[in-house]
């Protein structure tokens, strides 16, 4: 096979949110850049993660709403028996993905980034070999190597992928809706997709090893989610260990703390026990970079232990969030271009798109206490918010955490319908060093869910107006 050699200043491995943003920014700054992507531009997030899952969440919500209106509705709306064509739903979802990934390609081209489609193997910190789909190989040499290879679903040895056992990737492009779905993992991926399938008509059981759902979030935030799952009819099996499938392959065997075993009937099993950095199979071991667990160890400029080798996004560990990768990618491009930057965000918001949604930014009350801060916390319930009433969704609350001495806000949490959109206000207030008085004294539009942000700050100051 023929082999050619290219040279560039910046070589980016991986075209997900971190990699493509880094390449676009580098292109804007005039840095010669090559981006290598083995599959599709946009990475997990655009193709098989954030974007398609939100599309299916929306479709499932609309279908569930239609079925709700087939019964009795206080709004006076009635419909005859609704149906869903899952093939058309998936095609619609794929259309959104196609528009976004096409847009990424156009932006890279516009900014002079050369995209090489193929699978990269690292030879050393300056040299990569890329094999294209047609079997041809080429070498690329660079001054700066940016590793943005992302993550992959963590397998469960007792229930290997294949056949009826799927990851989130397959779950996002179903050919049909199973009658009985067992979801292994009660984190955000398992609950988001479990809720989708339940709303689309499947019987859903969720198995979680911890004693509550969303174990990385504090318990107060998860209570409204657990209550909503119960109303939907999602079965929760908490504090359970998965042993494997039964002999016939028709059920998932689970075990409680006492050792008692039960079997959950299933015609599809979704394994959603987390994601792990993609570090295997592409020569990363040749660089012998320092690790932090399974992830690459980086400093506050995303530098690895090898000079001019950088790492961003999921391959650099938690938090595995697309917007973190994007911000890191932008910074690395600017550093390569000679600018001075450090990655020191005041907070990185995280959103769980369950029903209701959960958003956190900064420190929770327990985290503030663990950090040795003397803080006060105050919550404002959506039950006292007029906009929430008009949306028929009054579950949940907004909570603020602030230092007792100077009222500096150190954290926000919220659970409720549409609270993902409050993450912007949370992030801005933390980044700008806002105090309780700053937020309480800002006039918020009425009627909006965002008023609960102001009311939480007012409550922390001792004079909430609407409770």
């Amino acid at each position: 096979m023929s082999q050619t050699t290219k040279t560039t200043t910046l070589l980016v491995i991986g075209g997900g949110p971190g990699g493509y943003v880094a390449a676009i920014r580098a292109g804007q700054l005039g840095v010669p850049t090559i981006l290598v992507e083995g599959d599709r531009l946009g990475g997990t997030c655009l193709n098989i993660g954030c974007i398609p899952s939100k599309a299916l969440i929306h479709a499932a919500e609309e279908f569930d709403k239609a079925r709700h209106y087939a019964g009795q509705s206080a709004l006076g709306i009635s419909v005859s028996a609704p149906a869903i064509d899952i093939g058309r739903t998936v095609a619609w979802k794929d259309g959104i993905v196609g528009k976004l990934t096409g847009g990424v390609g156009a932006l890279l081209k516009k900014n002079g980034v050369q995209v090489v489609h193929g699978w990269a193997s690292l030879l050393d910190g300056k040299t990569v070999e890329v094999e294209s789909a047609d079997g041809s190989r080429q070498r690329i040499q660079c001054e700066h190597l940016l590793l943005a290879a992302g993550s992959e679903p963590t397998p469960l040895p007792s229930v290997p992928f294949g056949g009826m056992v799927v990851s989130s990737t397959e779950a996002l492009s179903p050919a049909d809706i199973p009658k009985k779905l067992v979801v292994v993992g009660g984190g955000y991926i398992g609950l988001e997709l479990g809720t989708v399938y339940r709303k689309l008509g499947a019987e859903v059981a969720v198995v979680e090893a911890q004693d509550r759902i969303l174990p990385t979030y504090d318990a107060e935030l998860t209570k409204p989610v657990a209550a909503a799952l119960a109303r939907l009819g999602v079965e929760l099996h908490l504090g359970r260990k998965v042993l494997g499938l039964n002999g016939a392959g028709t059920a998932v065997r689970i075990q409680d703390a006492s050792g008692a075993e039960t079997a959950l009937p299933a015609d599809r099993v979704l394994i959603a026990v987390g994601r792990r950095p993609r570090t295997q199979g592409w020569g990363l071991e040749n660089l012998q970079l320092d690790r932090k667990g399974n992830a690459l160890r980086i400093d506050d400029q995303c530098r690895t232990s090898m000079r001019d080798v950088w790492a961003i996004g999921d391959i650099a560990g938690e938090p595995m969030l697309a917007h973190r990768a994007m911000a890191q990618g932008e910074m690395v491009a600017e550093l390569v271009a000679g600018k001075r930057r450090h990655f020191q965000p005041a907070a990185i918001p995280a959103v769980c798109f369950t029903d209701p949604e959960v958003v956190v930014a900064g420190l929770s009350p327990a985290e503030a206490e663990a950090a040795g801060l003397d803080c006060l916390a105050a919550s404002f319930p959506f039950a006292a918010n007029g906009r929430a009433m008009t949306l028929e969704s009054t579950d949940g609350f907004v909570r603020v955490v602030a230092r007792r001495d100077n009222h500096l806000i150190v954290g926000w949490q919220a659970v409720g319908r549409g609270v993902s959109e409050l993450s912007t206000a949370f992030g801005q207030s933390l980044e700008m060093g806002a105090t309780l008085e700053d937020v309480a004294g800002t006039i918020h539009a009425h009627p909006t869910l965002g008023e609960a942000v102001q009311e939480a700050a007012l409550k922390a100051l001792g004079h909430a107006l609407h409770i």
Side-chain angles (χ1 to χ4, degrees), residues 25 28-29 31 301 303 310 330-342:
R25 184 65 183 127
Q28 289 175 345
L29 293 165
V31 176
Q301 291 185 312
R303 297 178 188 270
W310 317 71
E330 183 185 19
M331 178 194 70
V332 169
E334 296 190 356
L335 287 167
V336 170
K339 295 179 179 291
R340 296 186 64 182
R341 288 283 307 274
H342 290 272

Side-chain angles (χ1 to χ4, degrees), residues 239-307:
R240 300 292 196 276
K241 178 183 178 183
V242 173
L243 302 176
L245 300 181
N246 65 351
T250 57
V252 177
R253 295 165 48 229
I254 62 172
Q255 188 180 58
D256 66 16
S258 70
E261 187 180 321
T262 50
L264 301 176
D267 47 3
R268 198 164 304 163
V269 181
L270 167 60
I271 304 297
V273 294
R275 296 182 65 84
R276 62 184 184 185
R278 188 177 278 114
T279 57
Q280 302 293 318
W282 51 288
L284 187 59
E285 62 279 0
N286 293 335
L287 273 56
Q288 297 185 336
L289 301 173
D290 289 354
R291 301 286 181 103
K292 184 177 182 181
N294 289 326
L296 296 179
R297 182 183 293 278
I298 57 171
D299 66 10
D300 67 356
Q301 291 185 312
C302 295
R303 297 178 188 270
T304 68
S305 55
M306 182 178 283
R307 181 181 171 86

